[in-house]
Amino acid sequence: MMNENEMTRVVRRAIEGYFKDLDGEKPSCVYDMVINCVEKPLLETVLHRVRGNQTHAADMLGINRNTLRKKMKSHGIKF
């Protein structure tokens, strides 16, 4: 692929590795699995960067502050 950034390459390699490790088993819920693996560290990293300021974190992420709070709760993130 052209113009892939490092994050895209890492995700692509991880998903390809996941399929390889299945060894013929049928995958399921791949979308939810990837989002759950990526979302928590993303939220934690952004919140750490803004020193826990949820308004700034939501702005940086491009989501509503209430959405951020809901996601924090679902991932057990406390700041």
Side-chain angles (χ1 to χ4, degrees):
M1 284 225 149
M2 296 174 83
N3 298 325
E4 280 194 346
N5 64 36
E6 181 62 20
M7 204 176 317
T8 301
R9 286 190 293 273
V10 168
V11 171
R12 188 180 309 281
R13 277 193 305 267
I15 294 169
E16 288 171 353
Y18 168 75
F19 287 133
K20 183 180 176 189
D21 290 346
L22 285 176
D23 195 32
E25 292 293 317
K26 183 180 177 190
S28 66
C29 302
V30 175
Y31 178 82
D32 287 339
M33 176 192 69
V34 172
I35 295 304
N36 284 324
C37 287
V38 172
E39 190 171 59
K40 183 176 182 180
L42 170 63
L43 298 175
E44 290 171 333
T45 303
V46 169
L47 283 160
H48 183 273
R49 181 152 186 102
V50 297
R51 296 180 178 97
N53 186 310
Q54 293 177 13
T55 299
H56 290 156
D59 287 343
M60 187 180 288
L61 290 163
I63 61 176
N64 181 285
R65 192 178 70 199
N66 289 331
T67 301
L68 173 61
R69 288 180 178 165
K70 180 180 174 183
K71 290 177 180 293
M72 288 172 64
K73 184 176 181 180
S74 73
H75 289 292
I77 299 171
K78 298 181 193 251
F79 262 86

